[in-house]
């Protein structure tokens, strides 16, 4: 699991380097592609550590990990972007350093629960479970980011800005859904093993969906006035 992100990083960098696409050619391989792919590889180990904390139901450690990572990234971004005036490259440096720092912490945490040995039976189980999920994540990634590509490709930068504003505010709902998911899944796996748990889990799921629906409703009601207040007037059309 530690080696797979590194292998993926090397493969993606090689593909980008050999690509003749004009879209790739317009962006410098270093530092943009190099940093972003390395950041993605480092974050994979962080996700393993966070997943283990969720399984162990260590809520405080899970929250402290996320808050500390967010705080470090913000402080580094302020230093590189504002103090050193490195703009986008500064933000990449900040993100890389934050991810590298928490990659080390995550690796040290995971080592306590890891044994370094290769078992073919484990590999087969991981592949049997993981390979069918690859198309799902690929399509999910395409669905999440393809619309930005089409807006940028076929519309003006003004349209892209309006879309970005609307997309960022819509992320409020995503934050709420992710929060409930992080809290619900460990509880579900624990309770699902008990007898006659389907009724309680069904009731809890209904309550969660009701709360999420309420959050969506409140967001739709107050979204337009909030955007008008805090966003520049040139992007107010994003509320239409």
């Amino acid at each position: 699991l530690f080696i797979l992100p590194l292998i993926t990083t090397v493969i993606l960098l090689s593909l980008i380097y050999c690509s003749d696409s004009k879209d790739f050619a317009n962006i410098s391989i270093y530092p943009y592609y190099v940093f972003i792919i390395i950041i993605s590889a480092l974050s994979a180990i962080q996700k393993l550590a966070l997943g283990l904390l969720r399984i162990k139901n260590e809520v405080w450690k899970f929250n402290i990990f996320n808050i500390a990572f967010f705080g470090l990234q913000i402080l580094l971004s302020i230093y590189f972007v504002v103090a050193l005036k490195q703009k986008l490259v500064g933000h990449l440096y900040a993100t890389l350093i934050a991810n590298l720092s928490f990659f080390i912490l995550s690796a040290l945490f995971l080592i306590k629960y890891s044994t370094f040995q290769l078992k073919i039976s484990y590999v087969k189980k991981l592949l049997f479970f993981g390979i069918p999920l690859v198309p799902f994540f690929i399509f999910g990634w395409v669905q999440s980011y393809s619309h930005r590509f089409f807006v940028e490709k076929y519309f003006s930068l003004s349209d892209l800005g309006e879309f970005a504003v609307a997309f960022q505010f819509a992320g409020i709902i995503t934050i709420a859904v992710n929060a409930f998911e992080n809290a619900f899944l460990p509880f579900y796996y624990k309770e699902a093993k008990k007898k006659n748990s389907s009724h309680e889990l069904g009731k809890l799921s209904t309550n969660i969906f009701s709360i999420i629906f309420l959050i969506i409703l409140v967001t739709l009601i107050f979204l337009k006035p909030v955007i008008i207040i805090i966003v520049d007037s040139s992007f107010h059309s994003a509320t239409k």
Side-chain angles (χ1 to χ4, degrees):
L1 291 177
F2 285 92
I3 298 174
L4 285 177
L6 299 178
I7 296 174
T8 305
T9 300
V10 173
I11 293 173
L12 289 175
L13 286 174
S14 302
L15 290 174
I16 291 173
Y17 183 78
C18 297
S19 174
D20 294 327
S21 172
K22 292 182 179 179
D23 294 321
F24 287 147
N26 291 333
I27 304 175
S28 300
I29 292 179
Y30 183 85
Y32 299 108
Y33 285 120
V34 173
F35 278 22
I36 291 172
I37 294 176
I38 292 175
I39 289 167
S40 300
L42 295 175
S43 65
I45 304 302
Q46 296 176 43
K47 293 182 183 300
L48 287 175
L50 288 172
L52 182 58
L53 289 174
R54 288 174 61 187
I55 293 173
K56 292 172 64 65
N57 202 26
E58 297 186 6
V59 179
W60 283 106
K61 291 182 179 179
F62 181 89
N63 290 331
I64 291 172
F65 186 101
N66 282 297
I67 293 171
F69 175 76
F70 175 77
L72 178 61
Q73 188 170 351
I74 290 295
L75 291 174
L76 289 172
S77 295
I78 293 173
Y79 174 70
F80 282 103
V81 177
V82 179
L84 300 184
K85 301 186 184 302
Q86 293 190 2
K87 299 181 180 179
L88 179 59
V89 175
H91 178 67
L92 286 176
Y93 272 111
T95 306
L96 178 62
I97 294 172
N99 276 274
L100 180 60
S101 301
F102 277 79
F103 165 81
I104 296 172
L105 292 176
S106 300
L108 293 174
F109 172 71
L110 291 171
I111 285 173
K112 296 189 300 182
Y113 302 93
S114 305
T115 54
F116 294 92
Q117 56 181 333
L118 180 63
K119 287 189 176 182
I120 301 301
S121 59
Y122 288 173
V123 174
K124 289 181 179 179
K125 289 180 180 179
L126 287 172
L127 292 176
F128 181 78
F129 178 79
I131 289 178
L133 294 176
V134 172
F136 168 78
F137 287 112
I138 291 176
F139 287 126
W141 177 79
V142 171
Q143 188 272 334
S144 298
Y145 295 99
S146 60
H147 48 268
R148 301 184 187 183
F149 169 79
F150 286 112
V151 171
E152 181 180 7
K153 195 79 172 177
Y154 298 104
F155 296 92
S156 65
L157 289 177
S158 176
D159 294 328
L160 180 61
E162 293 172 2
F163 176 83
V165 170
F167 193 83
Q168 290 296 323
F169 278 92
I172 296 172
I173 299 172
T174 304
I175 293 173
V177 172
N178 289 338
F180 281 110
E181 180 185 2
N182 288 331
F184 179 72
L185 284 181
F187 175 80
Y188 172 83
Y189 290 133
K190 180 180 178 180
E191 295 295 319
K193 298 178 182 179
K194 299 179 181 180
K195 293 182 179 179
N196 303 321
S197 60
S198 58
H199 176 71
E200 291 298 326
L201 290 174
K203 185 178 179 180
L204 180 60
S205 299
T206 302
N207 292 334
I208 290 175
F209 282 122
S210 300
I211 294 173
I212 292 175
F213 178 78
L214 179 62
I215 292 172
I216 293 173
L217 183 62
V218 172
T219 303
L220 291 175
I221 292 173
F222 293 101
L223 183 61
K224 184 173 182 178
V226 169
I227 290 180
I228 292 175
I229 292 172
I230 68 175
V231 176
D232 187 87
S233 59
S234 59
F235 296 105
H236 286 176
S237 57
T239 60
K240 296 181 179 179

